Amino acid sequence: MNPLTIKSIDIDFYQKRLADFLPAKIIDIHTHIWKKTFVTNESDVNREKWPSRVADENPIEDLLDDYQRMLPGKEVTPCVFGNPVRSIDLEKNNLYVSEVCKQYGFSGLMVTTPQMNGDELVKLVETYGFIGLKPYLSYAPASIPEQDITIYDFLPRQQLEIANEKKWLIILHIPRPGRLRDMINIQQLMEIDSEYPQIRLVIAHIGRAYCDEDIGDAFDYLQRTNNLMMDFSANTNSNAMIEAIKALGIKRILFGSDMPILRMRMRRICEGGKYVNLVPPGLYGDIRADPHMREVSEEESDTLSFFLYEELNAFRKAADQLGLGFADIEDIFYRNAARILNL
């Protein structure tokens, strides 16, 4: 157990901005759990490095304790899956997630590789008791340069066909430097939405639109989709949240955290279309080589609270600007996820 330290600034932030805004019951559609004993010697590719500085493991006990400390008075139910990186033993992590789901009655997704064939995929999902898949671009063939990876390189059509037949949930982290505005991503998302309509497809992080420049004209196209959903996990961009809600509607937006990295003490800014996490000095090691991390002064660090609070506050601002009612908030934080999780 690695208990989270709660400071007076955190209590003040939560009570003044979030406690009354959030509904009593919350479903977190996007959480990772794993143990450090699952770590292998294989190196990770195609992944931003800073999240590993926040937590080297996240057993279920830590996740549930974080909820109690960070969201007091709220009943939070997670959808869980493993840490989708090559340096984690995939079989051990999937088995652990399965055991947690059976013990706590949670919904879980299986982290997949594109090499898993149809029969193997069905057997594994059913054996583990999962309700769907969590593919990730780290598992795309190493021969493909990171900037050229497409969705089908790590979520092949064969797996999409089976997921459509089984009506599985898929939480998808899209690839490519252009993020949500990338036209290949947009084209493939629209293809999946049209050709595999039974899949419960959730695009993570609002398509990684962390800065306004990441949005482009994506929603001019994605508003034509019928089924595609989005979570706003690890996103603090109110404008992206507003555009997603306007394009897709209340029923297709879900709360997700991306725990455990949301326990990070930080504030996010954008510079030249790139996001930067402002963090206390020394807290996350030597970050000088990381373009997404920057230390602030000791004085400014006293004003920093949790990444989770920054995300939730950004959504509160978006909700205020759109004039959302409390029923809308309950949909986004609970009922929409309850529907796709068949709760």
Side-chain angles (χ1 to χ4, degrees):
M1 178 67 70
N2 184 21
L4 195 67
T5 300
I6 303 295
K7 299 182 178 181
S8 58
I9 186 174
D10 307 320
I11 297 171
D12 187 63
F13 195 126
Y14 180 74
Q15 293 298 333
K16 289 184 177 179
R17 306 181 195 182
L18 302 175
D20 293 337
F21 169 75
L22 297 171
K25 295 177 68 175
I26 296 171
I27 294 176
D28 185 347
I29 200 69
H30 191 136
T31 68
H32 302 274
I33 57 172
W34 77 99
K35 293 183 178 181
K36 63 178 67 176
T37 55
F38 303 158
V39 175
T40 69
N41 292 324
E42 190 170 358
S43 61
D44 288 321
V45 294
N46 304 325
R47 184 174 174 86
E48 290 150 322
K49 303 302 181 185
W50 62 265
S52 62
R53 297 180 178 275
V54 181
D56 59 2
E57 67 173 352
N58 193 41
I60 189 62
E61 294 82 5
D62 281 11
L63 176 64
L64 298 180
D65 185 66
D66 284 351
Y67 284 147
Q68 288 187 340
R69 292 172 182 269
M70 300 170 81
L71 299 172
K74 310 300 178 181
E75 179 186 334
V76 187
T77 302
C79 175
V80 293
F81 33 91
N83 190 4
V85 293
R86 288 179 177 268
S87 58
I88 296 288
D89 187 308
L90 196 64
E91 183 176 356
K92 288 181 179 179
N93 204 169
N94 280 331
L95 177 60
Y96 173 64
V97 173
S98 174
E99 291 171 345
V100 165
C101 289
K102 291 172 183 176
Q103 179 181 353
Y104 290 88
F106 296 154
S107 300
L109 304 181
M110 184 173 77
V111 175
T112 59
T113 70
Q115 290 77 29
M116 293 176 176
N117 63 41
D119 292 340
E120 177 188 13
L121 197 65
V122 172
K123 181 179 179 180
L124 286 172
V125 170
E126 292 180 350
T127 298
Y128 283 127
F130 292 134
I131 64 167
L133 314 178
K134 180 65 184 81
Y136 196 76
L137 63 148
S138 287
Y139 298 108
S143 59
I144 303 175
E146 180 180 359
Q147 67 271 16
D148 295 331
I149 294 173
T150 72
I151 293 169
Y152 297 136
D153 290 324
F154 59 98
L155 180 58
R157 285 187 176 272
Q158 181 193 33
Q159 294 183 0
L160 286 164
E161 290 169 2
I162 294 168
N164 188 62
E165 177 187 340
K166 298 291 186 180
K167 301 181 180 179
W168 284 340
L169 169 64
I170 297 178
I171 294 184
L172 178 64
H173 178 113
I174 62 174
R176 308 178 68 78
R179 302 173 185 269
L180 185 62
R181 72 177 186 273
D182 184 279
M183 283 307 303
I184 292 178
N185 280 335
I186 292 171
Q187 176 188 354
Q188 293 184 348
L189 290 176
M190 295 184 73
E191 287 175 356
I192 294 170
D193 179 79
S194 174
E195 297 175 24
Y196 308 103
Q198 300 302 315
I199 294 176
R200 292 167 282 168
L201 181 66
V202 176
I203 310 306
H205 319 303
I206 317 181
R208 301 165 66 225
Y210 302 132
C211 297
D212 289 349
E213 291 86 347
D214 297 325
I215 303 172
D217 57 0
F219 288 113
D220 292 343
Y221 299 94
L222 296 179
Q223 67 179 345
R224 306 173 198 168
T225 59
N226 296 311
N227 307 297
L228 176 152
M229 296 169 279
M230 289 187 167
D231 76 37
F232 52 92
S233 58
N235 198 317
T236 63
N237 186 337
S238 294
N239 291 331
M241 297 171 185
I242 289 169
E243 293 304 314
I245 293 170
K246 288 165 62 176
L248 304 182
I250 296 295
K251 301 294 185 181
R252 290 162 63 187
I253 305 296
L254 302 99
F255 164 67
S257 68
D258 205 13
M259 290 289 279
I261 67 168
L262 270 287
R263 71 198 325 255
M264 188 181 202
R265 195 167 289 280
M266 57 83 83
R267 180 167 56 251
R268 177 170 286 177
I269 61 171
C270 287
E271 293 180 342
K274 305 295 183 183
Y275 74 88
V276 180
N277 299 323
L278 305 179
V279 299
L283 187 58
Y284 299 109
D286 186 353
I287 61 173
R288 288 174 294 181
D290 194 321
H292 294 298
M293 297 278 276
R294 183 184 305 162
E295 292 183 346
V296 298
S297 66
E298 289 284 357
E299 182 180 15
E300 186 175 352
S301 72
D302 291 336
T303 70
L304 300 178
S305 188
F306 298 121
F307 195 168
L308 177 61
Y309 289 179
E310 293 290 332
E311 176 194 312
L312 292 171
N313 195 49
F315 182 81
R316 182 186 62 81
K317 292 177 180 178
D320 287 347
Q321 187 166 334
L322 290 170
L324 301 188
F326 196 71
D328 299 324
I329 306 303
E330 289 182 314
D331 280 344
I332 290 169
F333 280 87
Y334 186 81
R335 281 191 290 264
N336 294 346
R339 181 180 70 251
I340 67 171
L341 296 177
N342 296 321
L343 298 182

